[in-house]
Amino acid sequence: MIDFSPLLLADKGQPATRLILVDKKGFEAWLKAQPERLRHVAAAQGFKGDANQLAIMPGEKSDWSALLGVGDMAELGPWCLARAAEALPEGTYRLEGQAPGAAMLGWLLGQYRFDRYKADQSHKGPRVLLTGEPARIEETLSIAAATALVRDLVNTPAQDLGPRELGEAVLDTCKPFSATSSETSGARLEAQFPLIHAVGRAAAPDCAPRLVEVEWGDPRHPRVAIVGKGVCFDSGGLDIKPAAGMRLMKKDMGGAAHALALAFLVMKNRLPVRLHLLVPAVENAISGNAFRPGDVIKSRKGLTVEIGNTDAEGRLILADALTKAAEASPELILDFATLTGAARVALGPDLPALFANDEAVAEALLSAGTAVSDPVWRMPLWKQYGEMLASDIADLGNVSEQPMAGAVTAALFLQKFVPEETPWAHFDTFAWRSSATPGRAKGGEALGLRAAWHMLKARYGS
């Protein structure tokens, strides 16, 4: 896990280069107050106060400062310093006249790199930010580390992150917190979690399916279950995906990455809950023993599921994991999954679709997402669409025959495996960024993670 701690330090008056922030509406006033030579320097660099613009301003002697455009000086968002962190040279920096606040996160993540597979791994030395808010450092560092964990896992190709390696990543992440872990695989998995086993049974032996579970915290505290879809590669199964649809399917374990990162935040920040993390890890492969369209599989809950499409596999493994989570009577269940293309058609790549069976939980998550600039968008558990999942020969089907409301019917399928009285929220997240913006590199991305953490902290924190 990336250690960002050297990049964010308490301001004790140590030498540092000044960072001067201006926004578009205040730029002219700032410019008029500067000496003529600095006005010329700003003009020569084309600086006009636009967000993410950067200019180097000379000092009186050999010193210099960095001028950075931000969207709104009245409210520094998490990404307003990310461009500076990416572009400035190695050194120590201090904001002039204010504390960085939420912008500390973007400063850290602006220096994130995934270079595991590059021959040239050289890059600039650390850019250190000083802050006058030392009480915010520890949590900010943990959020940056959790975000980087999601990115690293999603970016790693399936050749190096199959079900076994994903399970190891879960155990390695949780081990420093003295958590209790278990793994169910082989014949025990087939007997106890038949949907997980069915989806993953066609994979090679070294990619065998498994359910990884972690328990942490005081049993007297409120029990919270976090579940993440861990399809390490999704070929589509016998309903094989086209080449274009398969290209990014190393990211189909993005839900598991989010769940693990959220569990890390809970443990790292010592949230007073009894945590239960569940990661069903599989590869949806093709071989002679692959599960087939038309098969009927009995779930852990006892409901039989007719397979209408083997490419709707994520909901199957989540169903068994949600059933197991519910058996311990948690106060809250959260699940994360890169579940449906329909959610992306509806909301695009940046907005995770949120489904919830509890109004208070839904509102808390929406408010949390807005507060930390990690928005989610609620979609309906429209019960009338449940009839689209009807099967002639089983309790329900895993897909609808109608080419509409795909994200809703997927969520309704999952809801069948959650007790009505248990508050539950489901994130259908993309876990990917197709193009880079400051602080947010192209590739794996945490979308909905900070919203979920902010909600849990508000709900259970002191």
Side-chain angles (χ1 to χ4, degrees), residues 2-294:
I2 298 175
D3 180 13
F4 288 99
S5 60
L7 308 181
L8 186 61
L9 301 177
D11 192 342
K12 299 179 180 179
Q14 55 267 63
T17 300
R18 291 186 304 149
L19 288 175
I20 305 168
L21 305 187
V22 294
D23 58 16
K24 188 74 172 178
K25 61 185 178 183
F27 175 60
E28 288 301 323
W30 178 87
L31 193 63
K32 288 179 182 179
Q34 304 308 309
E36 182 178 7
R37 68 185 186 90
L38 292 186
R39 294 199 296 269
H40 286 310
V41 170
Q45 296 179 72
F47 190 91
K48 299 179 180 179
D50 294 328
N52 297 318
Q53 275 197 304
L54 184 66
I56 302 301
M57 309 299 287
E60 294 297 329
K61 297 180 180 179
S62 60
D63 61 315
W64 57 276
S65 59
L67 183 62
L68 180 65
V70 298
D72 186 356
M73 284 293 295
E75 185 176 353
L76 299 183
W79 308 111
C80 68
L81 296 183
R83 169 64 180 150
E86 293 172 356
L88 289 171
E90 177 180 356
T92 301
Y93 298 86
R94 173 188 291 113
L95 284 192
E96 183 178 76
Q98 65 192 109
M104 292 186 290
L105 179 66
W107 180 272
L108 299 176
L109 291 174
Q111 299 181 62
Y112 169 84
R113 298 289 182 272
F114 184 76
D115 55 9
R116 175 176 174 177
Y117 298 95
K118 289 184 176 291
D120 182 6
Q121 297 186 358
S122 60
H123 46 77
K124 291 187 292 184
R127 280 77 76 200
V128 180
L129 182 66
L130 303 179
T131 175
E133 300 175 296
R136 299 185 65 163
I137 291 177
E138 182 178 359
E139 184 185 4
T140 303
L141 289 171
S142 68
I143 293 172
T147 304
L149 174 63
V150 174
R151 294 178 179 183
D152 282 353
L153 289 172
V154 174
N155 285 331
T156 302
Q159 70 192 58
D160 291 323
L161 191 76
R164 181 185 64 199
E165 291 84 4
L166 179 57
E168 291 171 352
V170 171
L171 301 181
D172 290 345
T173 301
C174 298
K175 186 177 180 180
F177 305 103
S178 301
T180 302
S181 61
S182 63
E183 185 174 282
T184 306
S185 58
R188 288 177 57 237
L189 184 76
E190 183 176 12
Q192 298 177 25
F193 302 96
L195 289 176
I196 299 174
H197 180 269
V199 171
R201 72 190 186 202
D206 61 347
C207 293
R210 64 207 63 213
L211 176 67
V212 183
E213 297 181 71
V214 173
E215 296 253 7
W216 173 88
D218 190 331
R220 295 171 295 181
H221 288 157
R223 189 175 186 87
V224 174
I226 303 174
V227 183
K229 172 188 168 185
V231 179
C232 296
F233 189 82
D234 182 18
S235 69
L238 293 177
D239 288 309
I240 191 170
K241 293 177 181 288
M246 210 184 298
R247 174 62 180 86
L248 288 181
M249 283 302 99
K250 69 175 185 178
K251 79 172 188 68
D252 212 20
M253 40 56 64
H258 279 73
L260 176 58
L262 183 57
F264 166 79
L265 285 171
V266 167
M267 295 183 288
K268 181 69 174 178
N269 291 282
R270 300 172 292 279
L271 197 68
V273 298
R274 177 62 170 175
L275 173 69
H276 186 194
L277 172 66
L278 302 97
V279 175
V282 303
E283 179 177 346
N284 188 17
I286 300 171
S287 72
N289 70 333
F291 75 124
R292 298 164 289 258

Side-chain angles (χ1 to χ4, degrees), residues 412-429:
L412 288 171
F413 180 91
L414 296 180
Q415 190 179 22
K416 296 279 189 182
F417 299 88
V418 177
E420 290 185 11
E421 66 277 8
T422 302
W424 160 70
H426 159 61
F427 294 82
D428 190 337
T429 186

Side-chain angles (χ1 to χ4, degrees), residues 344-362:
R344 307 286 69 78
V345 171
L347 301 177
D350 295 343
L351 277 177
L354 169 68
F355 296 86
N357 66 355
D358 183 277
E359 293 301 314
V361 169

